[in-house]
Amino acid sequence: MDLKQLNAFITIATLQSFSAAASSTGLSQPSLSRLLKQLELELGVTLIDRYHRPLRLTDAGQFFYDKVRTLLTELETVTSMTQRLVAPRSALNIGFVPSVLYGLLPDIIATMKRHDPTIAVNLKDISSYQQIEALKRGDIDVGFSRFSHCDGWIQQILLRHERYMVALPKAHALAQTPDQRLLDLVNNRLILYHQTHLPAHIIHDSGSSITDKKANVTDIETEPLLNLFAQHGVTPLMTTKVSDLQVALGLIAAGEGITLVPASLQTVRTEQISYQNLVNDNVTSPIYLHTLKDVVHPRVPDLLAATYKVYEQRGMTYQRQRFV
Ligand code: BEZ
């Protein structure tokens, strides 16, 4: 069994057609058919039902396809990481989710550059899950996001927990009320803006309200803001999902609802939006730094040092962590 046969099988199975696989790989249809036949003979298993149009995987073929695809993706990651080990390192490519840009990221980069003006940095706005794939591909060297990831290739450092605040339209009855409770907000339309949902392993036990049918149960478990309300035993009566944080703040400015945002957002659109503290415990959003385990850009420790320096200058609470 060799890589040529495996790649031929994966392409034929993905495109469900010999002719499409031939155009995609540049191999002739008879060559692809021969590679597939050799693989099936070696395995002693029929992988693809050739009598079905479009082509269909057999049950054994589906199992083999899922496993081999994962292995080939891993092989690509290993290949690209091995090449990066000897490639000269230039600019530090930083991926970030938009909410951290409103906070300390500009200050952290300025601090790092003050320490060493020769450091070149590229910034890429990229969602939390996409950061993990981008790290493996080598598109970014480090990612800042608000979600924990469990992946054998990735190491993560929890930088700190940032408090959520409630964002309300300036004309809202609660707009001037400091120290609010989640319970007081449930009759408002809650604007949901997270693109990334919580993975199953960090879902908290939220007690009886999880079975409340006012919102979709899966959403309550995995949507970050709904999960936060559920942890405090309450469920918002109405929700609206939007594509990102900027749209959410636009809707709030237009008086269409309320939301919770990390405290660093409280300087945005202040003519139209009022930001108030929440008194509930643990209403926070974590900030993580992610990087590969085995190939760390030499400037990443400088970036972490600059982050801690900014925290110290601002008297912020955090727990220093190290790379493995
Ligand atoms: C922070 O707000 O703690 C932060 C933001 C961006 C990068 C690192 C940390």
Side-chain angles (χ1 to χ4, degrees), residues 102-272:
Y102 293 101
L104 304 181
L105 188 57
D107 203 4
I108 290 166
I109 290 168
T111 302
M112 188 172 66
K113 284 188 168 170
R114 262 197 306 278
H115 182 72
D116 181 354
T118 66
I119 291 184
V121 164
N122 294 321
L123 288 168
K124 295 187 184 182
D125 162 8
I126 176 164
S127 79
S128 186
Y129 279 120
Q130 284 170 345
Q131 284 185 18
I132 300 306
E133 294 315 311
L135 282 167
K136 291 184 192 171
R137 280 196 308 273
D139 293 348
I140 59 172
D141 302 300
V142 59
F144 289 112
S145 73
R146 293 187 179 269
F147 290 91
S148 144
H149 289 283
C150 216
D151 186 301
W153 295 104
I154 303 291
Q155 60 178 326
Q156 75 181 15
I157 286 187
L158 172 62
L159 293 170
R160 69 179 178 111
H161 286 277
E162 183 175 14
R163 281 199 67 73
Y164 269 117
M165 300 189 83
V166 54
L168 313 116
K170 271 270 159 81
H172 193 284
L174 292 174
Q176 306 310 325
T177 311
D179 298 339
Q180 302 189 15
R181 299 175 307 166
L182 290 176
L183 179 61
D184 300 329
L185 303 174
V186 291
N187 290 331
N188 293 274
R189 178 177 298 281
L190 181 71
I191 313 288
L192 307 173
Y193 55 84
H194 286 92
Q195 291 167 2
T196 305
H197 278 209
L198 299 168
H201 71 276
I202 58 163
I203 291 168
H204 302 275
D205 177 10
S206 48
S208 59
S209 66
I210 202 85
T211 54
D212 196 320
K213 294 284 187 266
K214 281 173 219 148
N216 173 296
V217 173
T218 312
D219 270 359
I220 294 174
E221 288 173 354
T222 63
E223 202 294 323
L225 295 186
L226 290 178
N227 184 262
L228 209 59
F229 274 85
Q231 282 175 54
H232 291 84
V234 288
T235 309
L237 282 179
M238 296 160 287
T239 59
T240 294
K241 283 189 194 183
V242 296
S243 56
D244 63 37
L245 187 54
Q246 273 305 335
V247 179
L249 293 176
L251 288 196
I252 289 154
E256 288 299 306
I258 63 152
T259 196
L260 307 186
V261 292
S264 51
L265 270 288
Q266 67 188 292
T267 51
V268 182
R269 283 185 180 261
T270 46
E271 332 73 65
Q272 301 133 329

